[in-house]
């Protein structure tokens, strides 16, 4: 820990309540159109506006997020979608795999409605908690799905603003 004003200390090691914890945020850097399961490209760990990670437990390759340390993790997915379409339902999904990404199951899904008319944006959020007991085989991915027949919805990404993003928080040991 590092000394701070008034005799306190700041967390620098990631040790909280007797467990190693941490938090990392990744964001989509480029927008894309239509559904994707999983969202396989254009992810980066946030690197702007004073971002600071606590620990480094999660890495990403081709949209597959893997863990370097076992433990309980809270996974949060915020999706921002825009479009100039009529009455569409769009879902964000957290996907879980216990076989290194060969097969994914929907761990949780949240949806929202994009209204008729001029270009509009909406956001949806979902969260899940996972017990990662096997760092070789357990992984997470993310998807955007639309009601059948829906096209031309844009999932928003940017390399300087975290529109569509995911947060991994390691809560403690398994």
């Amino acid at each position: 820990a590092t000394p701070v004003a008034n005799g306190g200390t700041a967390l620098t090691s990631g040790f909280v309540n007797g467990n190693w914890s941490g938090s990392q945020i990744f964001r989509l850097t480029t927008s894309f159109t239509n559904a994707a399961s999983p969202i396989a490209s254009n992810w980066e760990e946030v690197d702007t506006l004073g971002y600071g990670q606590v620990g480094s437990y999660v890495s990403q390759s081709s949209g597959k997020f893997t863990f370097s340390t076992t433990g309980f993790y809270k996974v949060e997915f915020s999706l921002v979608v825009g479009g100039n379409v009529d009455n569409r339902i769009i879902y964000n999904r957290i996907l879980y795999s216990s076989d290194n990404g060969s097969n994914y199951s929907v761990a949780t899904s949240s949806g929202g409605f994009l209204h008729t008319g001029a270009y509009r944006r909406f956001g949806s959020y979902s969260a899940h908690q996972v017990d990662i007991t096997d760092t070789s085989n357990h992984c997470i991915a993310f998807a955007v799905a639309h009601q059948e027949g829906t096209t031309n919805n844009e999932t928003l990404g940017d390399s300087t603003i975290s529109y569509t993003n995911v947060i991994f928080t390691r809560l403690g040991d398994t």
Side-chain angles (χ1 to χ4, degrees):
T2 303
V4 294
N6 300 321
T9 57
L11 176 67
T12 58
S13 65
F15 195 71
V16 178
N17 297 327
N19 293 304
W20 286 101
S21 68
S23 182
Q24 289 173 264
I25 304 172
F26 294 80
R27 67 176 161 217
L28 190 64
T29 61
T30 305
S31 299
F32 66 88
T33 303
N34 298 326
S37 185
I39 302 171
S41 60
N42 300 316
W43 289 103
E44 72 171 2
E45 187 163 5
V46 171
D47 59 0
T48 56
L49 302 173
Y51 170 72
Q53 65 178 206
V54 178
S56 182
Y57 301 108
V58 180
S59 60
Q60 181 277 141
S61 178
S62 299
K64 180 172 73 171
F65 291 80
T66 56
F67 302 85
S68 63
T69 304
T70 60
F72 292 101
Y73 291 82
K74 181 178 181 183
V75 181
E76 301 171 85
F77 180 26
S78 295
L79 174 72
V80 178
V81 175
N84 188 3
V85 295
D86 294 333
N87 303 328
R88 305 295 188 213
I89 300 172
I90 294 113
Y91 304 93
N92 74 356
R93 293 190 171 144
I94 297 174
L95 308 175
Y96 169 81
S97 175
S98 61
D99 61 6
N100 198 29
S102 294
N103 298 285
Y104 285 104
S105 297
V106 175
T108 188
S109 181
S110 178
F113 187 70
L114 187 61
H115 299 283
T116 303
Y119 187 87
R120 300 175 187 265
R121 287 186 183 171
F122 89 47
S124 66
Y125 169 87
S126 59
H128 190 63
Q129 188 167 303
V130 293
D131 182 7
I132 301 298
T133 58
D134 181 350
T135 58
S136 296
N137 289 303
H138 294 183
C139 61
I140 297 289
F142 301 92
V144 57
H146 305 171
Q147 78 183 57
E148 192 170 327
T150 301
T151 58
N152 300 319
N153 293 309
E154 181 180 32
T155 297
L156 300 181
D158 190 288
S159 63
T160 60
I161 299 170
S162 298
Y163 288 117
T164 297
N165 66 83
V166 297
I167 301 172
F168 292 90
T169 304
R170 187 173 189 278
L171 302 171
D173 296 335
T174 186

